[in-house]
Every structure is written in structure tokens, then in C-alpha cells.
Amino acid sequence: MALKITVIGTGYLGATHAAAMAELGFEVLGLDVVPEKIEMLQRGEVPMYEPGLEELLRKHVAGIEGSSGRLRFTMDFAEVAAFGDVHFVCVNTPQKHGEYACDMSYVDSAFAQLAPHLTKPALVVGKSTVPVGSAERLARELAAAAPAGVEAELAWNPEFLREGFAVKDTLHPDRIVVGVRSAHAEKLLREVYAGPVGEGSPFVVTDFPTSELVKTAANSFLATKISFINAMAEVCEAAGGDVVKLAEALGYDDRIGKKFLRAGIGFGGGCLPKDIRAFMARAGELGADQALTFLREIDSINMRRRGQMVEMAREALGGGSFLGKRVAVLGATFKPDSDDVRDSPALNVAGQIHLQGGQVTVYDPKGMANAGRLFPTLAYAETAVDAVRGADVVLHLTEWREFRELDPAVLGEVASNRLILDGRNALDPTVWRAAGWTYRAMGRPSA
Ligand code: UGA
């Protein structure tokens, strides 16, 4: 009989995972503790902007006309325990307030609420990003609290999806990593992922700590790559080089590769920043802090970018204060194709200039509602053209396609000054200059 799957926590990761499991042919029951989220999902609506996710959800949510009916939602842990053979835990692990460490309270609470209902054999699979050593502890606690005892087994299966590509990354992952302690657990997970493995996704079997580490190591590597090229951008600024050309030339060496070498205002979002910090905190607890002190530098290079963008804007405006200056900000989300503004470098820059007296107007194709909630004191415009109207300087801070397709001539007519600063090195300088703009980007003083 086909496995029945549950997904606990229906945020970014969980909602996508649940829809993907239904797409792979399984009966799926999703659980969340927030009633509004469940109500939305039951209507086939997604609480965030993620290309293709709503369509996939509507294809499977029971009760929606023409759907497969394989995906349902609940708030009841007893129902989840009775239904599932494999339970995926997908709750988030944010950074703790005032500390680097990660907040495990949602994970702990999911396990605590599920375990007492596990009366039959079940595989609980952690997908959340956790400090190494968590799986070991959770496996012990699970076996102690579940009536099924050791037949309530744990596995760890980190998730590598990127926002903006969540559906594709989940259905066609570039690798599947499972930390398991028994052949039985491995067999069940091979069954779950038979589709993608059949298509060629590598299936890597490890112990618990390695599986937890793969995730934090991967995000640390990506963060390092971005901060590396941003450090080179700083040197290019000083030496009169061009970081975009530099990255292109480096990228042709396939040991280095061209991906994640886009210099600009740096990384943000709900993952990279908090994951490198949690990793440092955990290494400290393990007595291996020296091994990760370089991540502190990666973090500071990254955070410095935001201040450098502010200074570049100040300089471009004549070097004095922002008082009375009108600043248009294109982009609010931490990256394009997402409405996520968590730790967004773009909003951070907008906020800093605003707090220094600048009159900042922000436009973002999808992030306006979230940005407005986080930064209600900033001004928001309905369109890019409206944001630019009357601006003394335009800052391009999130590289949406819409911004690359803007007509610099049209914007030039409404701006009070044709001055654009590209914080993402994503616009074409020749096109802007041809329309009479002064174009300046980070790490390319001469370009
Ligand atoms: C990241 C990882 O890429 C995923 O593999 C991982 O699963 C996810 O975190 C997670 O831990 O859940 P995501 O946060 O969606 O995914 O975003 P990325 O595409 O990694 O971008 C992160 C930030 O780096 C963005 O602010 C982006 O603008 C910035 N970035 C990226 C650069 O500044 N330069 C680059 O070359 C690439």
C-alpha cells in the first residue's frame, strides 16, 4: 500500500513539501497551528508569493474542483498521527532574540505534540534547519514520549529549496540527503523519493550529525562565496577595477563557477544570515569555535555592504546629509521572485536613509505588503515610475526582471535628477547612459 504522508508546519518549506508530495502521488495531510494559514491553504491559497506553488496546491487540495483530492489540512495532531506512516517536520528555526543561536522552540513543540499520539510504527523526518546534535536528542525524546517506543523512529532530511524556485527544487532536487539509523528508515525514504531519484537526483545516506551539517555547511559556503566577491568589490572600488568583469573571468574556471558571484548589497533573507550565526554558536558549544571564526568575517563583510550603499548614495548626492533629498528605492524583497522581506538588504538601506532624513519612496513588484508591515514609516509607490517621480537619486536594490525592462528614457522624464545607483550590478549601464543617466554600481568605479 502507498505510504501516507503528513507535513507538520505549512510555511514556505512545509506548504511546498506537502504540495510536492501530493504531486508525487501520495495522500498527504498537512498540519499547522495557525488557523488562518490552514483556512487559506484549504481554499488553495498560498500565504506567500512563490511562482507555481498556488497552481500545484490547487491541483491537489481536496474540495477544489478538478483537484486530485490527495492533499488535506488539519490542526489536530491526533489525526496526523493516526493518518501518517511518514511525518515530515517542517517548522521554522529562527534566530533567537539577542543571540546568535537558533530558536528550537517550534521544533521542540512539534515533536512534543506529535509524540504522545504515535501509537503505531512511524517514521518522523526532520526537515527544519537545526544545530548539529538536535536529531540525536530528538530521537531519544521521541522514543521516550511515543507509546510506540522505538518504533517511532527519527530520520533527518535537510531541505535545500530556494525561494523563488521552491516547487522546482522540491520536485527535482539536486540532491536528497537522509540521515538515518536503520535500513528500514532508509527504505521508507527511498520509497518517498522514488520519483526524483528515478529521474537522477543523487540520494546521499549519512548519519544524523552529517545530515544536519550538510545543510548548514551548504548555506555557509554560499554565504562565503557571496561575501568573497563582495570583498573583491571593495578592493575593486579602491583599485579602480571592475568586479563584474572579475567575477565573469573567475567564473570560467569551473572549479570556481560563476554562480553566487554576483556582487552587490549582499545576502539577506530568512536563511543565510541566521544559519551562519547559528552555526557559529553551535560550533562554540562544541568547542570548535575556531573552525568557524571566518564566518564572523563573512557576516561583517555582508553587513558592511548595506552601509556602503548608503554612503555611495550620500556621495552621489553631493556628500552632505540626506535631509530634503528624495530617494527612490526599486526593490524591497531580499531577492527577486519572492515577497519575503526578512532581513532584506534593500529595505535595510531604504530604512537607513529614511532614518537619516531622506525622503525615501519604495516600490517592489511583490513585496509591498510585507515591507509596509515591517517599515510602515517609509513611503510606498504603486509603480516604479511613481517611485522615481521627482527623485534626486534612484537606488536599484533588488534585481527584479521588471526593473531591467524599465525604459530609462521614460524614467528620465519624471526623475528630477538622472542618477541611478545599481546595488545589484544587474542593469545595463550602456542603456542607462544612452538615455542620459549617470550610472554607478558597487565595485565598478570605472565601468
Ligand atoms: C538559501 C539557499 O540558497 C537554499 O539552498 C537553502 O535551502 C535556503 O537558503 C534555506 O536555507 O532554506 P534563499 O534564502 O531562498 O536560499 O536565497 P538565495 O537564492 O540563496 O539568496 C540569498 C541571498 O543572497 C539573497 O539576498 C540574494 O540576493 C543574495 N545573493 C545571491 C547575492 O547577493 N549574490 C549572489 O550571487 C547570489
Side-chain angles (χ1 to χ4, degrees):
M1 223 177 58
L3 292 172
K4 287 191 171 158
I5 289 179
T6 82
V7 176
I8 296 162
T10 59
Y12 228 104
L13 168 55
T16 313
H17 192 67
M21 288 293 118
E23 175 73 6
L24 292 177
F26 298 102
E27 295 282 331
V28 184
L29 183 60
L31 175 141
D32 207 286
V33 294
V34 181
E36 294 77 24
K37 251 194 218 169
I38 292 297
E39 285 158 19
M40 276 188 90
L41 291 164
Q42 278 168 338
R43 291 195 301 268
E45 292 165 20
V46 186
M48 62 273 180
Y49 171 73
E50 177 62 38
L53 182 54
E54 194 147 293
E55 290 80 345
L56 194 67
L57 205 69
R58 299 185 66 82
K59 194 170 159 197
H60 297 295
V61 172
I64 291 183
E65 212 188 301
S67 81
S68 73
R70 287 199 289 269
L71 177 53
R72 292 184 302 114
F73 294 96
T74 182
M75 294 186 62
D76 184 356
F77 274 95
E79 190 186 348
V80 160
F83 176 87
D85 305 300
V86 179
H87 306 281
F88 284 98
V89 177
C90 296
V91 296
N92 66 338
T93 49
Q95 185 175 340
K96 266 190 198 165
H97 274 294
E99 288 182 46
Y100 268 14
C102 109
D103 174 357
M104 285 290 285
S105 60
Y106 301 107
V107 175
D108 289 338
S109 148
F111 274 79
Q113 291 185 75
L114 175 67
H117 298 290
L118 293 174
T119 52
K120 57 173 189 171
L123 184 66
V124 180
V125 185
K127 277 190 104 45
S128 310
T129 301
V130 295
V132 59
S134 303
E136 163 85 46
R137 167 178 69 83
L138 290 164
R140 235 182 302 122
E141 291 174 4
L142 185 66
V150 291
E151 296 211 80
E153 212 191 324
L154 184 74
W156 214 264
N157 169 217
E159 178 57 56
F160 305 101
L161 70 79
R162 297 160 297 169
E163 294 189 13
F165 301 90
V167 171
K168 176 178 163 281
D169 287 350
T170 308
L171 285 172
H172 312 284
D174 52 16
R175 78 287 213 190
I176 296 157
V177 176
V178 299
V180 292
R181 281 189 163 167
S182 74
H184 173 68
E186 180 183 337
K187 181 178 157 287
L188 286 182
L189 285 165
R190 282 191 185 277
E191 216 172 309
V192 169
Y193 291 115
V197 172
E199 283 181 356
S201 293
F203 190 84
V204 184
V205 181
T206 76
D207 50 34
F208 280 176
T210 309
S211 67
E212 294 163 309
L213 283 169
V214 174
K215 171 66 195 235
T216 31
N219 276 1
S220 300
F221 190 85
L222 295 172
T224 301
K225 227 180 154 185
I226 300 169
S227 277
F228 173 83
I229 202 64
N230 281 331
M232 293 306 113
E234 282 187 26
V235 179
C236 282
E237 282 288 342
D242 178 345
V243 74
V244 172
K245 277 285 161 206
L246 177 71
E248 181 196 339
L250 289 175
Y252 289 127
D253 182 335
D254 61 14
R255 294 169 304 176
I256 298 174
K258 65 176 171 26
K259 291 182 181 161
F260 271 66
L261 282 186
R262 274 180 291 112
I265 54 172
F267 59 81
C271 302
L272 262 43
K274 66 111 175 151
D275 284 356
I276 61 172
R277 293 172 194 153
F279 200 17
M280 283 186 267
R282 184 61 186 142
E285 289 168 5
L286 293 169
D289 41 340
Q290 252 191 336
L292 296 188
T293 41
F294 77 96
L295 286 178
R296 214 173 277 280
E297 201 50 44
I298 299 306
D299 202 2
S300 358
I301 293 169
N302 188 56
M303 295 308 283
R304 207 151 66 213
R305 299 306 281 168
R306 305 171 181 194
Q308 282 160 351
M309 185 73 225
V310 173
E311 289 320 307
M312 184 183 266
R314 187 197 311 285
E315 228 169 81
L317 287 169
S321 105
F322 283 109
L323 268 181
K325 302 288 186 194
R326 290 171 172 232
V327 180
V329 167
L330 301 181
T333 53
F334 84 105
K335 68 177 206 181
D337 296 315
S338 164
D339 64 356
D340 197 341
V341 298
R342 283 178 294 171
D343 199 4
S344 165
L347 261 193
N348 182 300
V349 168
Q352 286 193 51
I353 296 177
H354 164 74
L355 292 171
Q356 293 179 39
Q359 292 177 41
V360 181
T361 305
V362 180
Y363 167 73
D364 187 278
K366 295 284 176 198
M368 303 281 274
N370 287 338
R373 268 191 290 275
L374 197 67
F375 256 112
T377 49
L378 288 171
Y380 294 92
E382 295 282 313
T383 64
V385 175
D386 284 343
V388 170
R389 202 177 301 282
D392 298 307
V393 63
V394 179
L395 309 189
H396 174 246
L397 300 184
T398 311
E399 70 278 31
W400 287 90
R401 170 191 283 270
E402 180 178 327
F403 299 149
R404 285 195 294 282
E405 290 173 350
L406 285 170
D407 183 347
V410 172
L411 290 187
E413 273 164 29
V414 298
S416 79
N417 196 12
R418 295 188 182 192
L419 174 58
I420 180 146
L421 306 183
D422 188 355
R424 289 296 185 179
N425 275 312
L427 302 174
D428 183 349
T430 47
V431 175
W432 286 79
R433 287 192 182 126
W437 287 77
T438 301
Y439 172 95
R440 178 82 164 83
M442 298 185 91
R444 316 178 74 182
S446 55

